[in-house]
Every structure is written in C-alpha cells, then in structure tokens.
C-alpha cells in the first residue's frame, strides 16, 4: 500500500454508479467481452496483480445474466470484423480481472460467440476449462481461438502460490490436444521453469512456451514478492538449460524490462538521437531506458529517472509511470520532455493509468510538458515482442560481452 497520499485526484468517470452497462460498453469499445463473476476472483493466487487495483476507478458489474449476455453479443455482433483482431474474454480496465471460466455459463457463451459472430476470441485462464469441449471447439473453429493457459508453475511452489487452482493432472489434460495456443510459466528457483518446459513440451509441441519471471507489484505479500525476485536470479540459468534442450516449441522469455531495453538498445538510441534534444533538456524515463542512455548517450540531455513508485519500484517500466510518480521527482525544472506512452492509457487520451490527465499535471505543478510523440505504446510494444525469443535472450543477451558492464551500472539515486 502507498505510504504517501497521492498528489492528484483523477476526475471520476462514472457519474451514475448504478448503471453498470456503461462499464460493459467501455470495455467492448476496447475490444473486450466483459463477462463478470460479480465478485473478486475466488482463486486468490498469491501473485495476482488484481489484489490491489485501488489506484484506478472501477465499477464492477454484477454476475453476468442471460440478459446481459444477449446485450453483449448483440453489441459485439454489430461491430465490423477485423480479421486480425481477437476479442478478449474479460474486461480489465474498468472492472476487476477474474478467471471467467468460473462463470457457470462461460463455456456455453464462448461457443455462442463463435457460432453467432464471425469474430475471433482470446482468453486467459489458470485452466478451469471443460476438457473435451475446449479441444472440440478449437478443432471446430480453426484459427479463431487464442487460448493462453496460465500454468505459472508445475513445481512445488504451485501449492503455495495458487492453492485453489486446478491440479497439475487436469492441466496435463488441457495441454494434451489442440486447444492451448500458449502456456505461460516462470522461473522461481533451480529446476522450475526448465523442468516445466520439458514436461509441457513432451505433451504439446505446438503451443508457444511463454516464459520469464513475475514482477512484484504493490499489494503482494512480502514473501511472494521475494520469491519473484529470487526467480529473477535463476532466470539466466533456467533459460540456458531450456536452450540446451532444443525443444521444438516456439519459446519466448519476457518480463525483464532491463533485458528488453538492452536487446532494443539500437532502436532506443536511434530514436533518442532523432528527438534532437539539447544538453539542457530534461527527459523523463524509467530505470531500464535510463541504464541504456547512461551507457550509450551519457550527458546528451538531463535524464530524469522516475521509479514506478505507485506500482512499487520493481516494475521499471516507462509505460506504467504516472504523473504522480513524475511530480514526486521534480526539483526545479521549468519544462520537461515526457514520452507519449505514459499518457496513452485506457483511461483516455493524454491520461495516465490512474486517470490523471496531462492538463491536471501542468496546472498543479506549473511545469511545462513537451510530449515526445515518437515514444508511444506502439514503439514500446514492438520492442517487447521483436526480441522476445528464448534464443535471442540467450545468444544476444546472456552471451553478450557487454552484459556484465551493463548490469554493473547502478540504479540512479
Ligand atoms: S485466477 Fe487469475 S485473476 Fe484469479 S486470482 Fe489467480 S491470477 Fe488472479
């Protein structure tokens, strides 16, 4: 929980808090299929990022009824079909994220969606799917389902982190067939991620192995956060072991922002050069980019390091910075340069993830902001996915001669 009071109060979005259909509409406009359990997620995973989302305004709809479902299906059916778009089951901007396969009608409604629309669907679950049915649907509607199975871990840590999730035995049945597009699981210790990769690949060579570490955010128990941090230490060793196994699946490693920044260093540096900033200009950035620019463009501008204080310091991500985080780091600046990606949240244009707008920021702080339009979420996402393969991580990062110098750069004060 934050120890300091927020500097800014976002303008409330929902005027009439009894009208929950406005939430459904907002989510659908953002490409979501907003089913609701009408309560918090009963699975209560220790690492769940939804445990504390008090930094943003939400209005959670009641459990989705047949009537609500008809409303949702009608609304989405009227939208034009984009063949590249996958509608995501579950809202996550204005309502709480939960495992929606715990809704007794979820399987039936997924089938409805595939039958009555020509659109594609994606969903994330820790595995509460009906096994023969999900394999049958994927076979019946090829290419229209993207099923991301959140395995998290098959190791002994599973019981500690997710005691109410489906059993490993059930997950093996979910994996054994055409249904799962990608399985995500993480490093926590020696022989965690690498063992899981071998086990999953022995059952399913088609699904993508989506690996990495979990990042602590605020609201998690201290022992859970430290287990996640321990996983970071084991990631290089675990990833190398998987690399040596030569598994046939597509394999990715994500979530270490300083690694992504290193692998994208040429693009970051050339984008920085193209901004044509002067030495006296102050630029806002999170730790990873700060590391890269300190290494390759030292003293070319004033780099204002801003930690992700609101989400807890581990995130180290420019996209997730807030105006509150920035305001706390100001000293005597009269003008600052701020990447556009900070103000492209689902809350609205020029608004951060908490709902505070650029206008509120400039009014309250009196600091002029020059928006760096080239540094947008599209650029950030491209960098994340472009270099995400396990092979790239091992060959271009772990085995890179610059790695130790890069890792030795201390976090700015
Ligand atoms: S199942 Fe998903 S939403 Fe539910 S507690 Fe676990 S991580 Fe959170």
């Amino acid at each position: 929980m934050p120890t300091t009071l927020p500097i800014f109060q976002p303008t409330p979005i929902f005027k009439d808090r009894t009208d929950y259909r406005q939430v459904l509409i907002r989510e659908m406009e953002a490409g979501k299929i907003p089913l609701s359990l009408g309560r918090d997620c009963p699975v209560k995973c220790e690492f769940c990022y939804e445990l504390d989302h008090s930094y943003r305004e939400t209005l959670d709809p009641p459990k989705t009824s047949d009537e609500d479902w008809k409303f949702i299906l009608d609304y989405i059916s009227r939208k034009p079909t984009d063949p590249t778009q996958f509608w995501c089951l579950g809202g996550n901007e204005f309502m709480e994220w939960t495992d929606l396969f715990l809704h007794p009608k979820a399987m039936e409604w997924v089938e409805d969606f595939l039958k009555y629309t020509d659109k594609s669907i994606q969903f994330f679950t820790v595995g509460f799917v009906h096994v023969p049915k999900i394999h049958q649907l994927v076979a019946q509607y090829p290419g229209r389902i993207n099923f991301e199975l959140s395995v998290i871990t098959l190791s002994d840590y599973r019981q500690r982190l997710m005691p109410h999730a489906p059993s490993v035995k059930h997950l093996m049945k979910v994996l054994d067939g055409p249904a799962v597009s990608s399985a995500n699981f993480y490093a926590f210790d020696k022989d965690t991620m690498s063992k899981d990769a071998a086990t999953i690949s022995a059952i399913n060579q088609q699904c993508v192995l989506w690996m990495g570490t979990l990042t602590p955010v605020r609201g998690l128990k201290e022992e859970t956060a430290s287990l996640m941090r321990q996983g970071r230490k084991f990631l290089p060793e675990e990833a190398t072991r998987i690399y040596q196994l030569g598994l046939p699946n597509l394999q990715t490693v994500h979530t270490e922002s300083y690694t992504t920044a290193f692998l994208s260093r040429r693009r970051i540096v050339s984008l920085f050069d193209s901004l044509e900033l002067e030495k006296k200009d102050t630029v806002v950035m999170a730790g990873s980019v700060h590391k890269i620019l300190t290494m390759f463009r030292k003293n070319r501008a004033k780099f204002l390091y801003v930690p992700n204080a609101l989400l807890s310091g581990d995130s180290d991500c420019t996209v997730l910075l807030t105006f509150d985080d920035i305001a706390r780091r100001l000293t005597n600046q009269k003008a600052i340069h701020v990447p556009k990606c900070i103000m492209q949240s689902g809350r609205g244009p020029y608004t951060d993830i908490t709902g505070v707008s650029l206008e509120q920021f400039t009014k309250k702080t009196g600091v002029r902001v020059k928006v760096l339009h080239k540094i947008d979420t599209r650029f950030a996402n491209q960098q994340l996915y472009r270099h995400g393969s396990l092979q790239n991580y091992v060959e271009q990062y772990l085995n890179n001669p610059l790695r130790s110098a890069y890792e030795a750069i201390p976090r700015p004060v």
Side-chain angles (χ1 to χ4, degrees), residues 41 43-45 47-48 97-99 126:
C41 186
V43 192
K44 303 251 176 283
C45 304
F47 52 83
C48 184
W97 185 264
T98 57
D99 199 309
V126 289

Side-chain angles (χ1 to χ4, degrees), residues 29-30 40 100 131 175 277-278 308 332:
E29 287 300 323
D40 56 352
L100 286 170
V131 170
L175 282 159
L277 296 169
E278 294 180 24
N308 297 91
N332 53 0

Side-chain angles (χ1 to χ4, degrees), residues 283-296:
V283 197
V284 163
M285 59 192 72
S288 303
V289 175
H290 190 278
K291 229 173 161 99
I292 291 295
L293 293 179
T294 303
M295 191 158 178
F296 296 103

